[in-house]
């Protein structure tokens, strides 16, 4: 029997229309570094999105599923692009502005981007690449920044340069949005590509809609129109974890830091705009912590923070608890839109009983099915002990990567199982009540004499030491054991390294055979383009003899 229900497509257009009408007065506030931030209501954002779509179609000839890229900070023009481009039927391609230039060029050409929207402050990055971006016909610039380098680079080429505000000025503030199939592409994002070429994940209207609804459940971030969220996670990093879409569904105010991502302006922003929620990777919260300990600011408006993208050290959670800010751990990846788990503890527990749940990566929502696969392909039990590779499936999880124009989608065997699950490359355990604890990336696990050592467990234990600001542990080759851990540590200001006592401190928390023999003090831990520890670089530094290693 078929249902008797309507089959209304789940689209980004619908989210846009809802936000700009039902939550017309909610605001996107963009930090400008000057006395007054820029404030734009959802109604204005909707009207400007219609103007942008009109300009893209009528002036720039964008049609069908053309790719329109953005090379932008988090700001209101970027939100306008988020809604205008997918809603007109084109595909939004957010470019990671921290990627090495050759990767950016590769990605733009692979996606065949026809248009790039760019912030003026990023022209020094874009202009030298322009001659290599062979698919790009138009560049549209918004916000402050010298236009000189771009004008020069575009001179004599076929690329046309436009000013965002001039392009949309005077255009109709409504647009005849097409009726779209919910399964068509709305947006794409390439994985950070630490190994091999970057891979494009293409989100559908439907996946974005369902993912946004999940974010809005109290079980996940659960924000309402009484909230304002400080979105530090870049709009190019998995759609800012889905927040711009989710907020338009429920009228949550967005506070956008633009290019002011350093700890001091972030602290000022929080103190003056008083967001109730924020989202960013651990590195940002580490930096902000040091800043407010040195120069106190009131962060207490920000009662809840979603932290993910890399493991959150429990010591960081404790430090923020003391400041009245609750960090809530979440796990996800580009391939999962990204929300996979959120660590809200189950009901009825005391604060002390909640703690072991808070430090897990969290619990799976209804839309994400999970299984753990052991080295021999067996499905492992959820007993909080059996460690295996996490595999997931659900309506906002990728089933393949973009193959390029006219090419078949890519389904690498190490990423997708034969029966259609995504192999995450993350290793961990799951408790009987569905809480995931990740112990490592499969490629970062330290295989010592046939046993596995979790680099994350060692890092978390080290980062609880009062003298240590950051710690990254990697596997290095060892004649006797195959691999052994190398601990690289960043000391807090004024602290000195006493490896014997660091080792003794660790010995209270991990088994003796897991204790690193090799230690090195470093100035900073190398980070990837999205702020994660770049262990590939540390391993290479070690192999090239660039680290000052002491054996203890
Ligand atoms: P990306 O696609 O760049 O967002 O990277 C996804 C990867 O980041 C995951 O596969 C994990 O290895 C890592 N990751 C994300 N969130 C967490 C978390 N809460 N704890 C540990 N690792 C995480």
């Amino acid at each position: 029997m078929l249902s008797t229900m309507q089959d209304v497509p789940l689209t980004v257009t619908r989210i846009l229309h809802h936000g700009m009408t039902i939550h017309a007065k909610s605001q996107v506030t963009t930090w400008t570094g000057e006395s007054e931030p820029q404030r734009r209501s959802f109604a204005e954002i909707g009207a400007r999105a219609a103007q942008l779509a009109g300009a893209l179609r009528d002036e720039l000839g964008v049609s069908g599923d053309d790719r329109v890229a953005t090379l932008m900070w988090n700001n209101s023009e970027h939100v306008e692009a988020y809604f205008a481009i997918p809603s007109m039927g084109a595909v939004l391609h957010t470019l990671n502005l921290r990627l090495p230039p050759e990767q950016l060029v590769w990605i733009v050409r692979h996606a065949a981007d026809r248009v790039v929207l760019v912030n003026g402050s990023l022209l020094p990055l874009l202009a030298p690449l322009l001659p290599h971006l062979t698919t790009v016909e138009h560049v549209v610039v918004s916000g402050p920044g010298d236009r000189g380098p771009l004008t020069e680079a575009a001179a004599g080429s076929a690329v046309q340069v436009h000013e965002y505000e001039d392009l949309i000025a005077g255009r109709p503030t409504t647009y005849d949005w097409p009726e779209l199939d919910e399964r068509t592409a709305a947006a794409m994002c390439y994985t950070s590509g630490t190994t091999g070429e970057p891979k494009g994940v293409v989100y559908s209207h439907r996946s974005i809609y369902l993912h946004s609804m999940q974010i809005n459940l109290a079980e996940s971030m659960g924000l309402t129109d009484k909230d304002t969220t400080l979105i530090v996670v870049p709009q190019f990093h998995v759609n800012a974890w889905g927040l711009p879409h989710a907020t338009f569904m429920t009228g949550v105010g967005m506070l956008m830091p633009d290019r002011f991502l350093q700890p001091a302006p972030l602290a000022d922003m929080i103190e003056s705009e008083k967001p109730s929620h924020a989202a960013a990777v651990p590195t940002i919260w580490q930096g902000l912590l040091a800043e407010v300990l040195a120069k106190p600011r009131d962060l207490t408006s920000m009662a809840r923070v979603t932290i993910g993208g890399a493991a959150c050290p429990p010591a960081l959670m404790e430090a923020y608890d003391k400041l009245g800010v609750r960090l809530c751990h979440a796990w996800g990846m580009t391939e999962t839109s990204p929300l996979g788990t959120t660590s809200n503890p189950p009901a009825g527990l005391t604060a002390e009983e909640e703690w072991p749940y808070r430090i897990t990566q969290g619990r799976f929502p209804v839309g994400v099915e999970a299984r753990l696969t052991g080295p021999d392909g067996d499905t492992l039990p959820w007993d909080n002990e059996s460690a295996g590779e996490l595999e997931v499936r659900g309506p906002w999880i990728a089933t393949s990567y973009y193959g390029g124009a006219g090419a078949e989608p890519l389904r690498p065997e190490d990423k997708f199982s034969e029966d259609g699950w995504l192999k995450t490359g993350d290793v961990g355990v799951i408790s009987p009540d569905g809480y995931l604890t990740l112990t490592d990336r499969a490629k970062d696990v330290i295989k010592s004499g046939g046993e596995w050592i979790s680099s994350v467990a060692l890092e978390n234990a080290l980062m609880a030491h009062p003298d240590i600001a950051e710690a990254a542990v990697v596997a290095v080759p060892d004649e006797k054991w195959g691999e052994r851990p190398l601990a690289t540590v960043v000391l807090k200001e004024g602290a000195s390294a006493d490896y014997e006592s660091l080792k003794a401190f660790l010995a209270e928390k991990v088994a003796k055979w897991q204790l690193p023999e090799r230690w090195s003090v470093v100035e900073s831990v190398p980070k990837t383009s999205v702020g994660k520890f770049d262990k590939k670089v540390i391993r290479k530094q070690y192999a090239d003899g660039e680290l000052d290693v002491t054996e203890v």
Side-chain angles (χ1 to χ4, degrees), residues 358-529:
R358 288 183 60 198
I359 60 175
T360 69
Q361 266 69 16
R363 178 155 76 167
F364 296 96
V366 62
V368 181
E369 272 179 89
R371 71 183 181 197
L372 289 175
T373 304
D376 47 9
D378 289 357
T379 298
L380 303 176
W382 290 13
D383 56 10
N384 225 10
E385 281 176 11
S386 310
E389 181 177 4
L390 173 68
E391 299 185 0
V392 289
R393 74 168 175 182
W396 55 82
I397 292 172
T399 186
S400 62
Y401 295 111
Y402 181 58
E408 289 293 310
L410 308 171
R411 297 195 84 253
E413 266 174 33
D414 62 331
K415 293 304 264 175
F416 301 99
S417 73
E418 267 178 24
D419 58 349
W421 293 60
L422 172 76
K423 299 181 182 176
T424 64
D426 287 324
V427 173
V429 298
I430 302 179
S431 68
D433 48 357
Y435 282 81
L436 168 74
T437 301
L438 290 184
T439 46
D440 247 316
R441 286 292 289 163
K443 60 182 187 310
D444 293 334
V445 165
I446 304 157
K447 295 176 189 116
S448 172
E451 296 285 340
W452 284 10
I453 301 176
S454 158
S455 64
V456 174
L458 291 173
E459 287 160 5
N460 282 345
L462 278 171
M463 283 193 267
H465 191 281
D467 288 341
I468 292 186
E470 267 187 330
V473 178
V474 297
V476 294
D478 182 273
E479 253 179 37
K480 184 164 174 205
W481 299 105
E483 287 179 353
R484 289 296 297 160
L486 158 74
T488 61
V489 294
V490 180
L491 297 175
K492 285 193 183 154
E493 234 179 84
S496 58
D498 171 359
Y499 295 128
E500 291 289 354
S501 83
L502 286 181
K503 212 168 161 179
F505 176 81
L506 262 191
E508 289 168 21
K509 302 176 185 219
V510 301
K512 199 159 173 277
W513 64 270
Q514 301 188 346
L515 296 175
E517 300 77 21
R518 297 171 179 85
W519 293 78
S520 181
V521 170
V522 290
E523 277 204 358
S524 61
V525 175
K527 308 268 168 32
T528 68
S529 64

Side-chain angles (χ1 to χ4, degrees), residues 192 237 308-311 329-334 361 424 426 438 441 530 532:
S192 24
H237 188 199
H329 205 181
W331 164 85
M333 42 198 310
T334 307
Q361 266 69 16
T424 64
D426 287 324
L438 290 184
R441 286 292 289 163
V530 286
K532 301 167 201 242

Side-chain angles (χ1 to χ4, degrees), residues 223-455:
L223 303 174
T224 73
D225 59 355
K226 295 177 188 65
D227 286 294
T228 297
T229 177
L230 167 60
I231 307 179
V232 186
V233 54
Q235 286 185 255
F236 60 73
H237 188 199
V238 213
N239 298 324
W241 296 351
L243 277 164
H245 299 120
T247 50
F248 249 66
M249 275 189 171
T250 47
V252 180
M254 289 182 239
L255 175 58
M256 298 303 215
D258 199 78
R259 60 197 183 281
F260 304 98
L261 295 166
Q262 308 71 23
L266 284 178
D268 294 343
M269 230 173 275
I270 295 165
E271 197 167 53
S272 86
E273 292 295 317
K274 304 196 175 356
S276 55
H277 174 264
V281 293
T283 313
I284 295 283
W285 301 115
Q286 295 277 18
L288 186 74
L289 180 66
E291 168 72 23
V292 298
L293 291 179
K295 183 177 167 204
R297 319 281 219 294
D298 182 10
L299 305 184
T300 50
S301 69
M302 200 174 57
R304 278 178 301 160
V305 159
T306 303
I307 182 166
C312 172
L316 191 65
M317 250 179 224
E318 281 173 318
Y320 273 94
D321 275 356
K322 288 191 190 125
L323 298 174
V325 175
R326 185 173 168 116
L327 302 189
C328 180
H329 205 181
W331 164 85
M333 42 198 310
T334 307
E335 291 86 339
T336 65
S337 290
L339 200 80
T341 59
T342 322
S343 73
N344 287 312
L349 302 184
T350 62
E352 204 176 316
E353 290 164 339
E354 280 190 343
W355 183 250
Y357 286 99
R358 288 183 60 198
I359 60 175
T360 69
Q361 266 69 16
R363 178 155 76 167
F364 296 96
V366 62
V368 181
E369 272 179 89
R371 71 183 181 197
L372 289 175
T373 304
D376 47 9
D378 289 357
T379 298
L380 303 176
W382 290 13
D383 56 10
N384 225 10
E385 281 176 11
S386 310
E389 181 177 4
L390 173 68
E391 299 185 0
V392 289
R393 74 168 175 182
W396 55 82
I397 292 172
T399 186
S400 62
Y401 295 111
Y402 181 58
E408 289 293 310
L410 308 171
R411 297 195 84 253
E413 266 174 33
D414 62 331
K415 293 304 264 175
F416 301 99
S417 73
E418 267 178 24
D419 58 349
W421 293 60
L422 172 76
K423 299 181 182 176
T424 64
D426 287 324
V427 173
V429 298
I430 302 179
S431 68
D433 48 357
Y435 282 81
L436 168 74
T437 301
L438 290 184
T439 46
D440 247 316
R441 286 292 289 163
K443 60 182 187 310
D444 293 334
V445 165
I446 304 157
K447 295 176 189 116
S448 172
E451 296 285 340
W452 284 10
I453 301 176
S454 158
S455 64

